């Protein structure tokens, strides 16, 4: 996937972020005000960008829905499943394609987290990841044909006339994000209970130095428990419009691909506008490289008391 890695002596650690095991001293005191500020800022910016993307997507959604549902008379169950699958496949191909190309071409190296040789994914692992992603996309389509009934039962609509306003989708995206970060933290933390980790979660940690496409590389049980349910929870439970669900799904996938990418965009314009996810990326990269704490977003790890190893790391490495 990438050229042979240089040794630590040959390659300085970008931005002072070095992965791998470390002996760490006493945990520093966590600045609660800083954690709360970062969490609030990230949540508001993510919600705002979802709203912006939704407004840009509305004309496209209206045109596509008018053509497939009203002119061709496509079965709504098929439309829901196909639209969700297309959103997922497009996000996977475009975002992972960009990161994969950057890895191969040696682009953005100034933002790349240094990896030790054992953290480099093997060709077999990457091939297996691509293969499982393709299989999951096909299986997912048929699963969505069943999940469609739950969306209909909670009141979701595909109709153009039911497209919600910007003010409405702002709080809807906020709900989706809050349910997602809560569900992911607790399900992920549960999967680190040793018997469950060995049986269901160890596969995901085959990537000790994650890359973007490793985000969805997981056991089917983990796929449902920690990936699908937290992501789909808000839109499904509250019966949000299909357009809201598809925009949220795309942004959620973008978020997790960046967080697993191994790139750290702190200080870039992308991070300044809330789409670089520098802090969340470093937060989750530590979880993979050290396999200690950091089960979700910073706010939940602070609440759950599971970010002490990471705070020690940040203190000693001055990250």
């Amino acid at each position: 996937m990438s050229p042979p890695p240089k040794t630590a002596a040959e390659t300085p650690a970008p931005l002072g972020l070095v992965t791998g095991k470390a002996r760490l001293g006493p945990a520093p005191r966590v600045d609660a005000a800083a954690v709360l500020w970062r969490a609030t800022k990230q949540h508001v910016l993510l919600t705002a960008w979802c709203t912006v993307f939704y407004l840009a997507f509305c004309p496209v959604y209206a045109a596509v829905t008018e053509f497939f549902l009203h002119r061709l008379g496509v079965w709504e169950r098929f439309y829901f499943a196909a639209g969700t699958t297309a959103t997922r496949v497009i996000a996977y191909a475009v975002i992972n394609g960009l990161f994969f190309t950057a890895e191969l071409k040696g682009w953005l190296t100034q933002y790349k987290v240094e990896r030790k040789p054992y953290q480099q994914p093997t060709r077999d692992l990457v091939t297996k990841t691509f293969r499982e992603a393709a299989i999951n996309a096909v299986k997912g389509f048929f699963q969505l044909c069943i999940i469609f009934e739950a969306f209909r039962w909670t009141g979701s609509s595909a109709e153009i006339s039911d497209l919600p306003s910007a003010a409405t989708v702002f709080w809807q995206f906020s709900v989706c994000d809050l349910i997602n970060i809560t569900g992911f933290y607790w399900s992920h933390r549960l999967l680190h209970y040793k018997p469950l980790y060995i049986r269901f979660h160890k596969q995901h940690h085959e990537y000790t130095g994650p890359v973007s496409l490793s985000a969805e590389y997981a056991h089917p049980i983990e796929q449902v428990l920690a990936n699908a349910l937290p992501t789909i929870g808000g839109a499904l439970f509250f019966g949000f419009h299909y357009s809201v669900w598809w925009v949220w799904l795309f942004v959620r996938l973008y978020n997790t691909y960046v967080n697993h990418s191994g790139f750290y965009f702190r200080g870039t314009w992308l991070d300044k506008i809330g789409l670089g996810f520098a802090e969340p990326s470093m937060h989750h990269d530590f979880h993979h490289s050290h396999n200690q704490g950091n089960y979700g977003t910073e706010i939940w790890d602070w609440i759950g008391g599971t970010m002490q190893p990471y705070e020690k790391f940040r203190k000693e490495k001055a990250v």
Side-chain angles (χ1 to χ4, degrees), residues 200-219:
F200 302 121
H201 190 48
K202 190 175 181 180
Q203 176 180 336
H204 185 62
H205 278 272
E206 289 177 26
Y207 282 92
T208 55
V211 292
S212 63
L213 56 87
S214 69
E216 296 180 274
Y217 177 69
H219 186 280

Side-chain angles (χ1 to χ4, degrees), residues 88 92 128-138 213 216:
R88 179 181 177 184
Y92 188 93
K128 181 183 177 184
T129 302
F130 277 127
R131 183 173 63 247
E132 289 197 6
I135 294 172
N136 288 337
V138 175
L213 56 87
E216 296 180 274

